[in-house]
């Protein structure tokens, strides 16, 4: 019936097809770069960038870049050659040691391209003693004995969903089978893939894997973990030699969508960043961008654990049939406890914001964040009153408008972290303000208890309102704002609790815009209900009766144009007729001719 059937077929490394031959001296036939071995015995280097990006062949700056990266070794580069057709550049260096240093730089990025660096003595470099470069030993497919040894190894390292792959270089089973663990010098390039496939066949229910203390410099050798364990929840690389964030990219993004915990303690990538910034904020932010699903990093919650003693989240029963358009109903609170807590917090906070901002430092959590966004265009109300543009000088330097700021580093710099920075570097530097808390109609508050944003339950407060911007105590401009707080209970004995705060601020986002009044959130009278089709309640559309000859669709468009421009109903119909019943064109027509529109064309009253 044929040969013996194999139970396991691990990945086999493809046969290498190098056009650079150290024995023939033929060189790279595609590049026309010349002989592989210079007659003087020096070594030829071939550098290739990405084929889908601009060629590096004539980039003279690349030589200086390689020299810097090879430091402290000084390269003796001669016989420079380029080939525009292939995008390959080649040159000669003085000796074997220089060639090995350059070969180890293969994969480094230059001007957005990952360089592929090959030499005419790659085989010699790979077999040399003490080589730490990226070359790994090609070999035949693993034997049955090797696979059996891996199975025994995995069985010895598995326990109830946890696969312990720590310190594999010292494992007696692997050493007896002469199996070099992934990421080690002169190891097989496919050993990590084979190991993960063996482990997945034996223990597909694995949820936790630890690769601690294996000397791993990059996650590339074990990247197959995402293929064979896509539901992995916990992953540790403690005590390895991971140098750069880019070395984590092999498992980042959506490759492990269910990953909840990641440990990178005792790795240069973490230690270097903490030493540079004197805190772990930048480091944690960089890791979270790569692994957005995690909730625990280095055995610390991504956000502080909190619990709220105000009762369970209440979910109002939705009506069987929703009616649109919905009426504006002003403030919203999910329960009485939330309302009392939110209003007490806001009253205390806004009073101190106007009179003594420095004291607000106690109200912020030590890891709190604050961001400010300014919306500088003139508001619709200001346009109607022909008011000049506002002065934004007191805010613009801290404004973190993500639609305008694309640079990631600048986005991070404009975010304030920690109670001290939030207050001293952020709040105190903004102009003086006065919130008129005596008039509740000038503010709208939505607040509810919520889970999911943080490990525990918190209160989410969305505040809309206005304030008067003061200049040296004198009357200033009115401005509208939106502010979102996430607050948590102040722990007993904390600075917040000792200064009278029942809650502390976890997150604070402030958006300031030109003054636009408070009409947008003034409660509307509920529309009367009548029985519609099949007895389903529907709203009576009596606030504005369609004029004769106006269809239902045209009537809806007229009301929309009224809302967007402030025109009254008859003029809205005229404008839509002139613009072909296109609401967007109607808005543009109004804005372009606002100065010529008669006073009786506007809704009465307009805005206060």
């Amino acid at each position: 019936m044929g040969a013996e059937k194999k139970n396991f077929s691990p990945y086999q490394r493809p046969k290498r097809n190098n056009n650079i031959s150290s024995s023939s001296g033929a060189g790279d036939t595609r590049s026309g770069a010349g002989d592989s071995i210079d007659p003087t015995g020096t070594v030829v280097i071939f550098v290739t960038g990405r084929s889908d990006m601009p060629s590096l062949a004539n980039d003279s700056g690349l030589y200086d870049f390689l020299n810097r990266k090879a430091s402290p070794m000084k390269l003796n580069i001669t016989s420079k050659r380029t080939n525009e057709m292939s995008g390959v550049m080649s040159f000669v260096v003085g000796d074997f040691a220089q060639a090995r240093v350059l070969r180890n730089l293969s994969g480094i990025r230059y001007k957005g391209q990952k360089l592929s660096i090959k030499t005419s003595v790659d085989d010699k470099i790979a077999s040399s003693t003490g080589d730490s470069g990226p070359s790994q030993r090609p070999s035949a497919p693993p034997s049955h004995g090797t696979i059996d040894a891996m199975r025994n190894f995995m069985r010895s390292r598995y326990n109830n969903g946890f696969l312990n792959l720590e310190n594999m270089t010292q494992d007696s089973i692997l050493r007896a089978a002469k199996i070099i663990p992934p990421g080690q010098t002169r190891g097989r390039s496919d050993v990590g893939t084979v190991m993960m496939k063996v482990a997945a066949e034996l223990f597909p229910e694995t949820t936790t894997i630890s690769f601690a203390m294996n000397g791993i410099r990059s996650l590339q050798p074990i990247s197959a973990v995402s293929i064979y364990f896509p539901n992995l929840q916990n992953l540790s690389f403690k005590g390895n030699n991971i140098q750069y964030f880019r070395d984590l990219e092999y498992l980042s993004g959506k490759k492990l969508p269910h990953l909840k915990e990641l440990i990178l303690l005792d790795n240069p990538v973490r230690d270097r960043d903490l030493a540079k910034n004197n805190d772990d904020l930048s480091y944690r932010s960089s890791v979270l961008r790569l692994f957005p699903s995690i909730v625990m990093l280095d055995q610390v919650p991504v956000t502080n654990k909190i619990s709220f003693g105000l009762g369970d989240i209440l979910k109002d029963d939705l009506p069987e049939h929703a009616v649109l358009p919905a009426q504006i109903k002003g403030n919203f609170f999910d329960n009485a406890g939330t309302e009392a807590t939110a209003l007490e917090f806001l009253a205390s906070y806004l009073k101190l914001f106007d009179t003594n901002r420095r004291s607000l430092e106690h109200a912020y959590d030590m890891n709190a964040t604050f961001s400010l966004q300014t919306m500088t265009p003139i508001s619709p109300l200001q346009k109607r009153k022909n008011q000049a543009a506002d002065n934004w000088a007191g805010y613009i330097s801290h404004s973190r408008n993500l639609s305008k700021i694309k640079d990631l580093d600048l986005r991070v710099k404009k975010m304030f972290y920690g109670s001290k920075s939030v207050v001293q570097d952020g709040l105190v530097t903004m102009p003086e303000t006065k919130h008129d808390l005596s008039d509740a109609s000038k503010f709208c508050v939505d607040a509810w208890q919520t889970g999911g944003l943080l490990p525990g339950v918190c209160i989410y407060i969305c505040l809309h309102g206005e304030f008067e911007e003061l200049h040296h105590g004198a009357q200033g401009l009115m401005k509208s704002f939106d502010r979102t707080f996430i607050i948590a209970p102040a722990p007993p004995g904390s600075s917040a609790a000792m200064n009278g705060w029942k809650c502390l601020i976890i997150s604070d986002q402030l958006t300031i815009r030109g003054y636009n009044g408070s009409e947008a959130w003034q409660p509307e009278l509920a529309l009367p209900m009548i029985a519609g089709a099949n007895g389903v309640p529907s709203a009576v559309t009596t606030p504005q009766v369609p004029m004769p000859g106006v269809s239902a669709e045209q009537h809806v468009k007229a009301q929309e144009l009224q809302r967007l421009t402030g025109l009254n109903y008859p003029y809205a119909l005229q404008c839509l007729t002139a613009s072909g019943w296109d609401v967007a064109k109607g808005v543009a027509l109004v804005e372009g001719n606002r100065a010529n529109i008669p006073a009786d064309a506007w809704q009465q009253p307009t805005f206060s």
Side-chain angles (χ1 to χ4, degrees):
M1 296 295 292
E4 179 185 358
K5 183 178 179 180
K6 297 183 179 179
N7 293 324
F8 179 78
S9 177
Y11 288 142
Q12 179 177 351
R13 181 176 176 133
K15 294 181 179 179
R16 298 178 66 178
N17 184 21
N18 292 337
N19 290 317
I20 304 173
S21 172
S22 60
S23 58
S24 66
D28 189 330
T29 58
R30 294 171 296 173
S31 67
D35 294 338
S36 296
I37 299 295
D38 187 271
T40 62
T42 53
V43 181
V44 179
I45 307 295
F46 301 89
V47 179
T48 310
R50 284 176 51 177
S51 59
D52 60 339
M53 295 187 71
S55 171
L56 298 173
N58 291 318
D59 191 335
S60 59
L62 181 55
Y63 299 110
D64 294 333
F65 173 78
L66 292 174
N67 246 317
R68 291 196 304 272
K69 293 301 179 180
S71 179
M73 176 170 284
K74 186 175 182 179
L75 302 178
N76 180 23
I77 297 176
T78 59
S79 303
K80 301 173 184 177
R81 300 182 185 181
T82 60
N83 188 296
E84 279 291 338
M85 294 296 294
S86 65
V88 174
M89 66 184 301
S90 66
F91 51 88
V92 176
V93 294
D95 54 36
F96 177 81
Q98 295 179 35
R100 180 166 58 184
V101 168
L102 283 168
R103 182 65 181 87
N104 290 342
L105 293 176
S106 186
I108 196 170
R109 292 186 178 276
Y110 175 71
K111 292 186 177 180
Q113 299 194 49
K114 185 179 289 187
L115 302 181
S116 174
I117 303 178
K118 299 182 179 181
T119 79
S120 56
V121 288
D122 275 3
D123 292 339
K124 185 177 179 181
I125 291 175
S127 62
S128 63
T129 303
D131 169 51
S132 60
S135 298
Q136 290 182 301
R137 175 170 53 90
S139 59
S143 66
H144 286 294
T146 299
I147 300 304
D148 289 340
M150 286 190 180
R151 287 184 178 130
N152 291 334
F153 166 71
M154 292 297 173
R155 292 188 184 102
S156 71
R157 294 296 190 103
Y158 180 81
N159 181 30
N160 193 28
F162 173 45
L163 187 58
N164 182 352
L165 301 183
E166 299 176 359
N167 201 15
M168 290 187 285
T169 58
Q170 301 302 314
D171 187 85
S172 58
I173 297 176
L174 296 182
R175 296 183 74 173
K178 298 182 179 180
I179 298 174
I180 301 176
Q184 305 301 311
T185 300
R186 301 179 63 189
R188 292 172 53 106
S189 62
D190 61 350
V191 67
T193 301
V194 175
M195 278 189 167
M196 291 302 99
K197 185 170 185 179
V198 169
E201 286 186 343
L202 292 173
F203 310 112
E205 69 279 9
T206 298
T207 58
T208 302
I209 300 179
S210 175
F211 288 97
M213 297 174 289
N214 280 299
I216 295 174
R217 299 187 62 175
S218 167
L219 303 191
Q220 183 180 24
I222 51 90
S223 59
V225 71
S226 64
I227 299 174
Y228 293 105
F229 296 101
N231 296 319
L232 197 67
Q233 297 180 19
N234 311 292
L235 191 56
S236 173
F237 294 103
K238 182 179 180 180
N240 280 283
N241 194 29
I242 301 171
Q243 301 280 333
Y244 306 103
F245 289 111
R246 65 170 178 263
D247 295 322
L248 301 171
E249 294 176 357
Y250 297 98
L251 288 177
S252 65
K254 298 181 180 180
K255 297 183 180 72
L256 291 172
H258 303 287
L259 190 66
K260 300 300 181 186
E261 180 175 9
L262 179 66
I263 298 177
L264 295 170
L265 294 169
D266 302 326
N267 276 277
V269 66
R270 181 182 187 274
D271 299 340
R272 184 189 303 113
D273 204 85
L274 266 63
K276 176 182 177 181
N277 298 295
N278 296 319
D279 58 44
D280 66 349
L281 294 175
S282 175
Y283 157 76
R284 294 174 75 83
S285 178
S286 296
V287 175
L288 287 172
R289 283 196 294 270
L290 294 172
F291 299 91
S293 65
I294 63 174
V295 296
M296 293 283 289
L297 174 59
D298 298 334
Q299 302 175 328
V300 176
V302 170
T303 53
N304 290 340
K305 276 194 173 182
I306 62 171
S307 60
F308 229 18
L310 298 180
D312 297 331
I313 301 173
L314 300 181
K315 295 183 179 180
D316 295 332
D317 294 332
L318 294 175
E320 183 178 358
H321 301 284
V323 178
L324 295 177
Q327 284 73 47
I328 299 174
K329 296 186 177 182
N331 300 334
F332 168 81
F333 304 97
D334 62 354
N335 61 56
T338 300
E339 180 178 5
T341 301
L343 293 182
E344 180 182 359
F345 164 79
L346 289 174
S348 300
Y349 182 91
L350 294 177
K351 180 179 179 180
L352 290 176
F353 189 87
D354 290 341
T355 60
N356 186 10
R357 289 183 195 168
R358 292 189 183 275
S359 66
L360 288 174
E361 187 173 328
H362 303 294
Y364 286 86
D365 181 73
M366 61 180 297
N367 293 314
T369 60
F370 168 71
S371 64
L372 167 69
Q373 177 185 0
T374 55
M375 305 292 288
T376 57
I378 299 176
S379 73
L381 177 59
Q382 291 173 318
K383 286 183 179 179
R384 293 188 190 99
K385 293 185 176 182
N386 294 318
Q387 294 178 343
D390 288 356
N391 181 356
W392 296 101
Y395 308 96
I396 202 68
S397 62
H398 292 326
S399 178
R400 190 173 179 263
N401 190 331
L402 301 185
S403 65
K404 296 181 179 180
I405 301 176
K406 306 298 184 181
D407 181 76
L408 183 59
D409 290 338
L410 189 55
R411 286 182 173 185
V412 172
K413 289 178 180 179
K414 286 181 177 287
M415 175 77 79
F416 297 94
Y417 295 93
S419 55
K420 183 176 181 180
S421 177
V422 167
V423 175
Q424 295 187 11
D425 301 330
L427 304 185
V428 172
T429 63
M430 295 189 295
E432 295 180 21
T433 58
K434 179 182 178 181
H435 295 75
D436 185 4
L437 301 182
S438 64
D439 187 352
S441 67
K442 295 181 178 179
F443 302 92
C444 180
V445 183
D446 295 333
W448 60 94
Q449 296 185 42
T450 183
L453 295 174
L454 297 172
V457 178
C458 58
I459 286 185
Y460 189 106
I461 302 175
C462 189
L463 172 66
H464 309 282
E466 61 188 56
F467 61 77
E468 182 181 351
E469 180 187 294
L470 305 179
H471 296 280
H472 306 292
Q475 183 177 359
L477 294 173
M478 297 299 299
K479 282 185 166 60
S480 294
F481 73 91
D482 309 300
R483 197 156 192 172
T484 302
F485 294 100
I486 298 177
I487 63 174
S494 65
S495 175
M498 290 188 294
N499 283 273
W501 293 96
K502 295 180 181 179
C503 299
L504 50 76
I505 303 167
I506 302 298
S507 174
D508 179 6
Q509 295 180 327
L510 173 61
T511 299
I512 304 177
R513 64 184 81 245
Y515 184 62
N516 207 31
S518 58
E519 184 173 295
W521 56 75
Q522 296 306 312
E524 295 178 338
L525 294 175
L527 297 177
M529 308 301 293
I530 62 172
N534 301 320
V536 176
S538 61
V540 178
T541 56
T542 57
Q544 174 63 62
V545 178
M547 294 183 68
V550 177
S551 68
E553 181 182 2
Q554 292 171 337
H555 176 67
V556 170
K557 288 184 177 182
Q559 290 184 308
E560 177 68 5
L561 186 62
Q562 283 185 271
R563 186 183 68 82
L564 294 173
T565 64
L567 286 177
N568 60 33
Y569 186 74
Y571 275 89
L573 290 175
Q574 291 184 36
C575 180
L576 286 170
T577 302
S579 60
W581 294 96
D582 186 313
V583 175
K585 291 181 180 179
V587 172
L589 189 61
V590 171
E591 296 301 328
N593 296 276
R594 184 173 291 275
N596 301 321
I597 298 176
D600 61 353
W602 305 108
Q603 299 181 55
Q604 300 294 329
T606 57
F607 292 98
S608 58

